[in-house]
Amino acid sequence: MQILQKLFFGNYILSVALISWLAAQVSKTAINFFLSGKFDAERLWGAGGMPSAHSALVCSLFMATAKLEGLNSPFFAFAFILAAIVMYDAMGVRHETGEQAKVLNRMMQGWLDDNIENILPQNGKMLKEKVGHTPFEVLSGALLGILIAVLIPVP
């Protein structure tokens, strides 16, 4: 685990959180490839999908903080509240934004096929539909982050 001690300035909590985020993004890309049959590089850094990388990051953050600083630490309290807000937002506002983008994209495809570039935002591109998460995607990311934080020992 000496390599972990050198990662990210020797900061255990930061290292665990970023490793969890990376694990979730790689898992998301692999799952997307398995389900669709094609590699989509955007899944390596994009939001939305299974598992939630945001949830993995913040849950590993609060778990690593608990291990290093203790449950009575104000740092743990801050990390726990941050995790709750991020996961709530992923299932709420961001999920609804993706659902609305799906509806708007369908509507825009049906309008003015000749002049669609003038209607669509961002130079004729469709709205991004994968921005939020289902509760299962959030739970999967949370469990992945907690597992990684539990498995990586405090140096």
Side-chain angles (χ1 to χ4, degrees):
M1 283 288 130
Q2 285 183 344
I3 197 158
L4 180 64
Q5 292 173 351
K6 293 179 183 180
L7 281 176
F8 308 109
F9 313 106
N11 188 317
Y12 170 75
I13 295 171
L14 181 61
S15 297
V16 169
L18 293 178
I19 288 167
S20 296
W21 174 84
L22 181 63
Q25 290 298 115
V26 170
S27 298
K28 181 186 309 190
T29 304
I31 290 168
N32 188 69
F33 176 76
F34 178 74
L35 294 176
S36 71
K38 52 187 166 181
F39 176 74
D40 181 4
E42 191 271 338
R43 295 286 77 213
L44 284 170
W45 60 82
M50 162 73 177
S52 167
H54 290 92
S55 297
L57 182 129
V58 294
C59 284
S60 66
L61 176 76
F62 88 71
M63 185 58 75
T65 303
K67 287 173 65 176
L68 189 66
E69 301 291 334
L71 295 177
N72 292 327
S73 162
F75 301 112
F76 170 75
F78 179 77
F80 184 83
I81 296 301
L82 177 67
I85 291 169
V86 167
M87 291 187 298
Y88 179 80
D89 180 64
M91 290 184 298
V93 174
R94 289 192 316 116
H95 180 69
E96 286 302 316
T97 300
E99 294 301 309
Q100 291 172 2
K102 289 176 188 175
V103 171
L104 288 171
N105 283 339
R106 277 189 237 118
M107 288 171 55
M108 287 187 282
Q109 283 177 339
W111 293 341
L112 302 173
D113 288 334
D114 294 337
N115 294 321
I116 194 95
E117 307 85 41
N118 298 329
I119 295 173
L120 293 176
Q122 304 171 358
N123 300 325
K125 294 180 182 176
M126 301 298 277
L127 297 171
K128 187 171 180 174
E129 296 178 5
K130 291 183 180 179
V131 292
H133 296 283
T134 65
F136 181 73
E137 292 168 343
V138 168
L139 177 63
S140 298
L143 293 175
L144 176 64
I146 290 168
L147 177 65
I148 289 172
V150 167
L151 293 177
I152 297 177
V154 177

